[in-house]
Amino acid sequence: MNILDEGMNQLFRGQWLGKSDSGSRVIANINVDGDKILGRVSELETIEVNNIEHSFWLWSIFEGQLTSSSKVQGEIRIQSIHHIDGNELNREETAKLLEITDTELPEKSTFIGELINDKEFRINTNFKYQSHVERNESLKLIKTAKKSSTAPSKHMTWEEFKNFASSQNDDFLYRGQSKSWPLQTSFHRTGYADLVSYLDKEMKEFEHHINSISSHPYNVNNDNSLGALLNLAQHHGYPTPLLDWTKSPYVAAFFAFENVLTKDGKITIYTFDDKKWSNIAGKNANVRSPNIMVKTLELPGFNNPRVLPQQAITMYSNINDIESIIQNNEKQKGEFLQRITINASEAKKAMRDLHLMGLTWGSLFPGFDGICKQLKSRHFI
């Protein structure tokens, strides 16, 4: 097989998770460029000194060259060291950490990797240190791919859901889907995972095109402006590391039922305890950070008239499997995330009620797109 076989090469692309021989947690976000394998590796190191644990992230550049259809070799270069919360350590902080933990960073790290199948990637790494010591370490990486949600679910009729919705408080967020697909951002659904490359290349080009037609200039180097640009991109179908939620259970129901293609099956409405989750996860997101993030944000809505009528809240994540991160932090199953299912056969009745509430394509999507979708649903369905 030609090593430039595009189909085979693409199996390397994506987010891979695993643990090293020493027990360090590893996240590898890998991209493919011809016969080159590129990306970034986050490694969470924990070292105990005098019964005190010191945890920090090593963030490294991953560059390799295919040597066959399934094998690759190359180098891993440490780019920066970060606190457990993701904040980058400066030179003085780094020196102090290395001294306390008696840690020596490798001068050079080379690796040989083999793709066992589309879900397993094995890597053997050789580390060389200034002290002339060499160390080898093996790593097994797994690519997760859920086909459906694993959040606990409760089935309701449409009438039961309306009673449920009227009893909810403001702490919860909702997301409607025509099926119980797992929670995953549109960026990760493409199979891509390296967000830094995405920000430096794709979003730079997106910014250039949008600024040519927008009355509001965007700047991807400014966090506030980047958030607004990602929010705009999300609402117009461009892949982003964002996931749409709403403060309204009825808006979530609208999106779930409106996208139903058949009367068979069930629609899904997720409920998420945002207040409780934010108490442990926080509300600030640094997109250029190695640590795992699942955070809800209220992003600026410049040139985005859809945000307010949809009562939109955005979830940012740099992880492919959002549900597992949420569930791993639950003391009891369903503490943060649950699902409600309703028979898709109730779509006509539900949409009539929602239209009477003023929830239509026209109201939720101000402009030509909303008008056309609203009249399409009225005239042709």
Side-chain angles (χ1 to χ4, degrees):
M1 182 184 292
N2 191 324
I3 66 170
L4 298 182
D5 178 10
E6 190 68 18
M8 188 66 182
N9 294 2
Q10 299 311 310
L11 294 179
F12 284 94
R13 173 178 285 139
Q15 187 169 79
W16 300 82
L17 309 178
K19 281 190 176 182
S20 65
D21 286 348
S22 60
S24 299
R25 185 176 189 176
V26 177
I27 305 168
N29 295 313
I30 298 176
N31 202 357
V32 178
D33 184 8
D35 62 346
K36 294 181 180 178
I37 308 299
L38 311 166
R40 285 165 179 80
V41 178
S42 304
E43 184 173 359
L44 181 60
E45 295 269 11
T46 299
I47 299 174
E48 186 175 311
V49 180
N50 297 326
N51 296 320
I52 298 176
E53 287 190 345
H54 299 268
S55 296
F56 55 93
W57 290 97
L58 294 176
W59 208 11
S60 304
I61 301 293
F62 178 99
E63 293 183 355
Q65 185 89 24
L66 284 171
T67 57
S68 74
S69 62
S70 61
K71 295 181 179 180
V72 59
Q73 65 180 32
E75 291 188 23
I76 301 174
R77 301 190 307 276
I78 296 175
Q79 180 183 21
S80 53
I81 301 178
H82 297 247
H83 189 267
I84 184 67
D85 63 8
N87 292 323
E88 186 175 350
L89 301 180
N90 60 34
R91 185 175 297 180
E92 292 75 20
E93 291 170 331
T94 298
K96 184 177 180 180
L97 174 67
L98 297 180
E99 181 182 357
I100 291 173
T101 58
D102 192 25
T103 300
E104 182 182 12
L105 297 179
E107 279 194 324
K108 187 175 182 180
S109 304
T110 57
F111 73 88
I112 297 174
E114 182 177 5
L115 194 68
I116 306 303
N117 53 53
D118 61 346
K119 300 287 192 303
E120 184 178 341
F121 185 25
R122 293 182 184 175
I123 299 175
N124 292 309
T125 307
N126 174 261
F127 301 98
K128 294 182 179 179
Y129 299 88
Q130 189 175 12
S131 58
H132 302 296
V133 172
E134 288 193 31
R135 180 172 65 87
N136 295 313
E137 188 170 76
S138 62
L139 176 65
K140 176 181 175 182
L141 295 171
I142 299 296
K143 186 188 289 184
T144 59
K146 288 183 178 177
K147 293 185 178 180
S148 60
S149 173
T150 57
S153 66
K154 181 178 182 181
H155 187 70
M156 294 184 183
T157 65
W158 172 242
E159 291 301 321
E160 288 171 337
F161 177 78
K162 287 194 293 183
N163 291 332
F164 162 84
S166 64
S167 68
Q168 296 303 287
N169 60 43
D170 295 336
D171 296 342
F172 283 80
L173 299 179
Y174 309 89
R175 175 177 171 81
Q177 297 183 172
S178 59
K179 292 186 179 180
S180 289
W181 293 299
L183 296 178
Q184 192 179 39
T185 72
S186 54
F187 171 76
H188 289 101
R189 285 199 295 271
T190 66
Y192 286 76
D194 187 357
L195 280 172
V196 175
S197 175
Y198 165 83
L199 293 173
D200 290 342
K201 296 178 182 178
E202 284 79 11
M203 282 308 295
K204 269 288 188 183
E205 184 176 356
F206 186 82
E207 172 200 56
H208 174 72
H209 283 269
I210 292 298
N211 281 345
S212 69
I213 62 171
S214 172
S215 58
H216 174 87
Y218 293 92
N219 178 8
V220 296
N221 296 317
N222 176 278
D223 288 346
N224 199 49
S225 186
L226 172 61
L229 185 61
L230 287 171
N231 203 18
L232 180 68
Q234 174 75 359
H235 282 262
H236 287 275
Y238 187 78
T240 73
L242 308 179
L243 195 66
D244 293 327
W245 293 79
T246 174
K247 295 178 181 179
S248 168
Y250 293 114
V251 170
F254 175 89
F255 285 114
F257 278 114
E258 184 62 33
N259 290 310
V260 165
L261 299 177
T262 174
K263 292 182 179 180
D264 298 328
K266 300 171 184 178
I267 63 97
T268 293
I269 298 170
Y270 289 91
T271 69
F272 180 65
D273 193 333
D274 179 45
K275 183 177 181 180
K276 192 180 255 189
W277 175 258
S278 295
N279 284 339
I280 65 170
K283 281 283 189 181
N284 296 317
N286 178 4
V287 295
R288 294 179 182 273
S289 179
N291 62 314
I292 293 171
M293 277 181 284
V294 176
K295 301 192 178 190
T296 54
L297 311 167
E298 290 199 58
L299 297 176
F302 307 136
N303 288 337
N304 195 354
R306 302 176 180 183
V307 172
L308 292 179
Q310 293 179 18
Q311 300 182 55
I313 296 290
T314 298
M315 176 180 282
Y316 166 78
S317 182
N318 59 1
I319 202 79
N320 182 50
D321 186 359
I322 293 175
E323 287 186 30
S324 290
I325 300 303
I326 294 174
Q327 291 167 343
N328 288 342
N329 284 278
E330 291 181 330
K331 293 179 181 177
Q332 61 266 357
K333 196 171 183 180
E335 179 183 3
F336 299 117
L337 182 69
Q338 296 189 40
R339 284 181 295 146
I340 294 170
T341 61
I342 305 173
N343 288 338
S345 58
E346 294 205 65
K348 186 174 182 179
K349 179 181 179 182
M351 290 305 294
R352 181 180 181 278
D353 287 347
L354 292 168
H355 286 176
L356 291 174
M357 295 176 191
L359 298 178
T360 65
W361 280 110
S363 65
L364 295 175
F365 291 83
F368 290 114
D369 288 347
I371 292 172
C372 291
K373 287 184 177 181
Q374 179 177 340
L375 294 180
K376 177 186 176 182
S377 65
R378 183 186 299 174
H379 295 163
F380 297 100
I381 297 178

